[in-house]
């Protein structure tokens, strides 16, 4: 059961990329795109491991803790579903609006992770905040690294933010 | 809770099956005119891993679905994905894959098509063009609009092989549309052999063949396509089907056509709607 939520997130990402990038969806497209982007799930698992494995006051098994933490995909999954609806109608959205829209899943995820750290890992509020920060740093560090790779260095990224 | 989730999964599966069964692929229709093959090409696309959503094999499938005969993968400052795509395509039918790079510098972007090794981006446009030529590739000024326009001085333009005349930037900003038209008028007045190019600049959205180039090639090979670009035997097409280029070539291409939009997949929206609802149900229920 521990693999169900990660697998679902990979499937959801693959389906939404297929819809936005090609305007249609087939079983083959879904399979190929989900498989290609499944490294996102590995990143999430690594970020989860960073906070789950050292926790000594856990109230559940490691596997169950991983499973529960993967439930935190809901804010991003809903955001991706919204994007897949908006992009075909309005493919060009100004960057400030995109950034503002991203704040919702970012903040919501942080709240969920923090609650997870307190209730499942038995962390105090202060430690939970620190663990949430570490978790998000791992996720966003990896995201920035991929972005750097994908656009061929920092030049295009800096250009996009007007530098 | 179990039943709603099962229903959601059933919706998802039904949508997938409908999408799969309804997928349409245009029949390859080789077109010839005046001793040339008229090939539909896109020289500017992005793929995964890189700044594109689709892995190379899925992008090739989509290129075929869009009726393209040739496409180049031109990721930002990298050629590894394009080389992988060409390697994977070597023994199967489908569009010809050309290895490319979008040379991404601060003041200009430049498509290098037909190269093998990465071209250094940290240089002047003219030097980048020479580096592309040294590898046997063709150099195409990418979206010469706004801040990417000013770097194209006479030295660089004089040695270019082509420039993007039709690009999604046309739809994004009226000033960019005007920039493309002005660049076209200026460079063609001085260098009429320069190839006008239509590029979808496909990343994550749209249709890989919505903007394209019709290439008049002697043979249906990558080399012949690149030769046609060097000789300026191209016609650019925008998303409305408008053609740009030498009037005689435009007439030839227009007369030979039955081109452009691939047939719409049957039940496409139904399939997408069911998949979307299924996913939503599985997330929230």
């Amino acid at each position: 059961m521990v693999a169900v939520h990660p697998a679902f997130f990979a499937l959801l990402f693959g389906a939404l990329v297929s819809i936005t990038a090609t305007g249609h969806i087939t079983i083959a497209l879904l399979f190929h795109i989900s498989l290609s982007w499944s490294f996102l799930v590995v990143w999430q698992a690594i970020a989860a491991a960073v906070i789950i494995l050292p926790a000594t006051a856990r109230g559940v098994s490691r596997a169950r803790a991983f499973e529960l933490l993967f439930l935190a995909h809901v804010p991003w999954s809903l955001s991706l579903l919204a994007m897949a609806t908006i992009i075909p109608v309005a493919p060009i959205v100004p960057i400030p609006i995109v950034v503002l829209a991203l704040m919702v899943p970012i903040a919501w995820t942080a709240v969920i992770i923090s609650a997870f750290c307190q209730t499942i890992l038995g962390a105090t509020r202060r430690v939970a905040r620190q663990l949430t920060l570490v978790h998000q740093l791992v996720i966003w560090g990896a995201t920035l690294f991929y972005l750097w790779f994908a656009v061929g260095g920092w030049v295009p990224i800096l250009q996009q933010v007007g530098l | 809770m179990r039943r709603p989730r099962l229903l959601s999964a059933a919706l998802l599966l039904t949508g997938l099956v409908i999408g799969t069964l309804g997928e349409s692929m245009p029949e390859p229709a080789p077109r010839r005119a005046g001793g040339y093959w008229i090939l539909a090409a896109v020289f500017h696309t992005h793929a995964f891993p890189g700044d594109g959503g689709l892995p190379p094999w899925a992008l090739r499938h989509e290129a075929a679905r869009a009726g393209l005969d040739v496409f180049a993968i031109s990721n930002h400052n990298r050629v590894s994905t394009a080389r992988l795509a060409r390697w994977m395509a070597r023994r199967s039918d489908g569009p010809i894959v050309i290895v490319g790079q979008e040379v991404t510098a601060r003041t200009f972007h430049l498509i290098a098509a037909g190269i093998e090794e990465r071209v250094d981006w940290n240089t002047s446009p003219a030097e980048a063009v020479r580096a592309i030529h040294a590898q046997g590739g063709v150099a195409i000024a990418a979206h010469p609009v706004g801040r990417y326009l000013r770097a194209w001085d006479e030295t660089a333009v004089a040695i270019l092989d082509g420039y993007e005349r039709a690009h999604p930037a046309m739809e994004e900003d009226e000033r960019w549309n005007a920039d493309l038209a002005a660049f076209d008028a200026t460079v063609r007045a001085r260098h009429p052999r320069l190839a006008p190019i239509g590029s979808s600049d496909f990343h994550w959205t749209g249709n890989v063949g919505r903007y394209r180039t019709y290439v008049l090639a002697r043979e249906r090979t990558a080399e012949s396509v690149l030769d046609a670009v060097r000789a300026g035997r191209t016609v650019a097409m925008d998303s409305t089907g408008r053609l740009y280029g030498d009037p005689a070539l435009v007439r030839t291409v227009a007369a030979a056509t039955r081109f452009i939009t691939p047939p719409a997949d049957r039940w496409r929206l139904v399939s997408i709607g069911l998949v979307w609802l299924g996913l939503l149900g599985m997330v929230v229920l």
Side-chain angles (χ1 to χ4, degrees):
Chain A
M1 287 301 284
V2 74
V4 168
H5 292 296
F8 175 71
F9 184 78
L11 182 134
L12 179 130
F13 194 84
L16 297 180
V17 169
S18 176
I19 290 170
T20 53
T22 72
H24 77 145
I25 185 162
T26 65
I27 292 168
L29 260 179
L30 176 65
F31 174 76
H32 290 302
I33 299 173
S34 299
L35 193 68
S36 302
W37 286 93
S38 56
F39 72 95
L40 292 179
V41 173
V42 176
W43 280 354
Q44 289 173 335
I46 291 170
V50 167
I51 61 170
I52 290 172
L53 297 184
T56 49
R58 263 196 328 266
V60 298
S61 68
R62 280 180 186 168
R64 178 69 178 147
F66 273 97
E67 191 184 348
L68 289 171
L69 187 55
F70 263 99
L71 283 173
H73 73 74
V74 168
W76 280 106
S77 295
L78 289 175
S79 299
L80 291 171
L81 279 162
M83 281 184 220
T85 317
I86 293 165
I87 285 173
V89 217
I92 302 148
V93 182
I95 298 263
I97 294 177
V98 174
V99 172
L100 273 178
L102 291 179
M103 287 299 131
V104 177
I106 288 172
W108 189 3
T109 302
V111 169
I112 293 174
I113 302 288
S114 181
F116 169 86
C117 292
Q118 287 178 67
T119 54
I120 306 298
L121 302 185
T124 62
R125 181 178 284 191
R126 181 184 150 84
V127 173
R129 278 195 200 136
Q130 290 168 349
L131 289 174
T132 304
L133 184 65
V134 169
H135 180 270
Q136 291 296 288
L137 280 176
V138 173
I139 294 281
W140 286 103
T143 305
L144 275 179
F145 173 76
Y146 186 76
L147 202 58
W148 168 83
F149 166 80
V151 300
W154 295 115
V155 169
I157 299 174
L158 294 174
Q159 278 177 344
Q160 283 299 322
V161 294
L163 296 173
Chain B
M1 288 297 278
R2 194 168 169 77
R3 187 167 287 181
R5 287 182 70 85
L6 280 176
L7 179 65
S8 301
L11 285 175
L12 174 64
L13 197 61
T14 309
L16 282 173
V17 170
I18 290 174
T20 304
L21 295 178
E23 185 181 38
S24 57
M25 187 68 81
E27 286 293 319
R31 302 163 290 259
R32 285 187 71 92
Y36 294 110
W37 290 99
I38 301 180
L39 303 178
V42 173
F43 297 98
H44 187 173
T45 70
H46 299 267
F48 169 91
D51 195 18
L54 301 182
W57 54 93
L59 182 58
R60 189 166 180 242
H61 179 84
E62 287 308 304
R65 209 168 69 89
L68 297 179
D69 302 294
V70 187
F71 75 105
I73 292 181
S74 48
N75 276 356
H76 297 283
N77 294 340
R78 298 195 193 281
V79 293
S80 47
T81 304
R83 290 172 65 164
L84 171 70
R86 185 182 58 184
W87 181 78
M88 295 184 83
R90 72 197 188 288
R91 283 187 191 158
S92 59
D93 291 336
I96 297 166
V97 178
I98 292 176
V99 175
Q101 173 191 342
E102 183 171 5
V103 181
T104 306
R106 189 170 277 278
T107 57
F108 69 94
H109 287 192
L110 171 66
I111 298 301
I115 56 168
E116 289 298 324
E117 302 296 332
R118 193 168 77 97
V119 173
D120 183 17
W121 61 268
N122 196 11
T123 183
S124 69
E127 281 308 310
V129 172
R130 288 190 191 101
I132 294 165
H133 288 164
Q135 291 192 44
V138 298
I140 299 163
H143 41 73
V145 300
R147 63 177 173 234
Y148 305 117
L149 183 56
R150 285 182 287 280
W152 292 108
D153 56 22
E154 180 53 30
T155 313
V157 169
I159 55 174
L160 270 175
D161 299 292
Y163 60 99
E164 286 181 344
R165 174 60 186 93
H167 182 276
M170 298 170 84
E171 293 173 51
E172 290 178 31
D173 191 321
E174 194 46 51
R175 287 169 299 180
W176 292 350
N177 193 12
D179 282 349
L180 285 174
F183 191 80
D184 177 51
T186 309
V187 300
R188 283 187 70 78
R190 291 189 211 150
H191 308 282
R193 61 143 197 94
L194 270 184
I197 300 292
S199 293
S200 63
D201 196 356
F202 178 81
H203 287 81
W204 289 80
T205 59
N207 177 318
V208 67
R210 205 156 64 96
Y211 290 77
R212 60 179 65 185
T213 308
Y214 288 110
V215 178
L216 283 80
R218 292 191 193 282
E219 293 166 35
R220 302 183 73 185
T221 62
E223 262 317 305
S224 202
V225 167
L226 297 175
D227 282 342
V229 174
R230 288 186 196 103
R233 291 195 307 270
T234 65
V235 170
M237 191 195 84
D238 69 17
S239 62
T240 66
R242 183 176 170 190
L243 301 171
Y244 304 85
D246 175 79
L249 292 181
V250 167
R251 279 195 297 276
T252 303
V253 167
T257 52
R258 183 166 57 77
F259 299 126
I260 312 180
T261 335
D265 290 350
R266 285 165 292 165
W267 298 93
R268 190 177 65 88
L269 289 179
V270 175
S271 155
I272 290 175
L274 289 174
V275 167
W276 193 91
L277 281 174
L279 289 170
L280 181 66
M282 291 173 80
V283 170
V284 300
L285 297 175

